[in-house]
Amino acid sequence: DTAVSQTPKYLVTQMGNDKSIKCEQNLGHDTMYWYKQDSKKFLKIMFSYNNKELIINETVPNRFSPKSPDKAHLNLHINSLELGDSAVYFCASTGEDGGRRQFFGPGTRLTVL
Amino acid sequence: RKEVEQDPGPFNVPEGATVAFNCTYSNSASQSFFWYRQDCRKEPKLLMSVYSSGNEDGRFTAQLNRASQYISLLIRDSKLSDSATYLCVVGDTGRRALTFGSGTRLQVQP
């Protein structure tokens, strides 16, 4: 059973399109995250939700909007995709006091053409 | 200055070698410390937590020096399967967040 799952695994799209990435965790965790890993492999936090409430919102363009319908799901919607959005996006979750061990999904490799 | 700094490598070592990675962090209020491992095109996975008293897990030993804000990882008797990127990670429980270093790449050669 996959603990943290993401769909799709690969996403290739044209500039200007709108796309969504979905994340689900079956660990019963309260806190979920979105990270972006760029071509230089630097993993940077974008957003964090705790029990459906946004608790971390890093300096991310407004084109990125997270949505958490319930504490097991955290989706990421991206409007007007740009070339610079090409990266691997990882979802993660933790059931501990945040700032402790996180479990990562397999990643979504987004390529904007 | 980056919050978590690591030497990017790559470290190319022969099988059986001992290799050490170092990391420094800037936030003195950090409360938890980890080493994660990331294989090519995969997600990061926890390798081990790091404690001030030092801790060992098989061939892996991690050390934390809070005064110097320095974290280390020692790998003994390197295996080919140890080839990966090792991420130094610092946690802030107040902010409920982890901050990742950019990783040190290890390539173990036959």
Side-chain angles (χ1 to χ4, degrees):
Chain A
D1 288 338
T2 305
V4 183
S5 59
Q6 292 179 230
T7 53
K9 191 167 183 181
Y10 299 96
L11 184 53
V12 181
T13 187
Q14 298 286 335
M15 254 191 337
N17 284 348
D18 302 339
K19 290 293 178 187
S20 292
I21 308 171
K22 296 188 175 184
C23 177
E24 176 181 1
Q25 52 93 5
N26 62 8
L27 297 166
H29 287 167
D30 295 328
T31 307
M32 296 182 72
Y33 305 82
W34 277 111
Y35 288 87
K36 177 180 180 180
Q37 189 169 44
D38 58 26
S39 57
K40 294 184 180 175
K41 307 302 181 188
F42 189 53
L43 195 66
K44 191 170 165 110
I45 190 167
M46 301 172 70
F47 301 103
S48 171
Y49 270 74
N50 177 260
N51 281 320
K52 302 195 297 175
E53 180 187 347
L54 181 67
I55 56 171
I56 293 175
N57 185 352
E58 294 294 294
T59 307
V60 176
N62 290 339
R63 300 182 293 103
F64 290 79
S65 53
K67 284 191 171 51
S68 181
D70 55 62
K71 73 174 191 177
H73 296 84
L74 180 61
N75 303 324
L76 183 65
H77 188 75
I78 315 170
N79 288 328
S80 304
L81 278 154
E82 299 178 358
L83 294 176
D85 297 333
S86 296
V88 181
Y89 292 84
F90 287 102
C91 176
S93 73
T94 185
E96 302 167 55
D97 292 331
R100 296 203 180 273
R101 180 181 180 177
Q102 293 180 12
F103 294 78
F104 282 78
T108 296
R109 187 170 294 272
L110 171 65
T111 303
V112 183
L113 303 174
Chain B
R1 182 186 172 189
K2 289 181 187 171
E3 290 186 58
V4 181
E5 296 217 47
Q6 296 181 248
D7 180 344
F11 283 57
N12 295 305
V13 303
E15 270 186 291
T18 295
V19 61
F21 303 141
N22 303 317
C23 163
T24 57
Y25 61 96
S26 60
N27 183 359
S28 59
S30 299
Q31 297 150 325
S32 55
F33 308 88
F34 309 92
W35 284 100
Y36 274 67
R37 170 189 169 136
Q38 186 172 23
D39 292 286
C40 188
R41 302 178 84 87
K42 297 284 188 182
E43 71 273 25
K45 290 183 178 175
L46 179 68
L47 177 67
M48 59 197 302
S49 300
V50 188
Y51 305 109
S52 298
S53 54
N55 49 300
E56 189 173 307
D57 182 1
R59 298 180 293 108
F60 299 83
T61 301
Q63 292 276 359
L64 166 65
N65 184 322
R66 282 187 184 264
S68 304
Q69 295 179 204
Y70 172 93
I71 306 165
S72 66
L73 177 68
L74 183 77
I75 306 175
R76 290 181 299 278
D77 189 22
S78 299
K79 311 289 184 193
L80 294 176
S81 56
D82 294 335
S83 298
T85 296
Y86 290 83
L87 302 166
C88 178
V89 184
V90 173
D92 180 347
T93 50
R95 198 171 157 258
R96 300 176 187 252
L98 296 179
T99 301
F100 286 76
S102 53
T104 299
R105 195 155 68 86
L106 171 66
Q107 185 65 47
V108 180
Q109 294 160 339

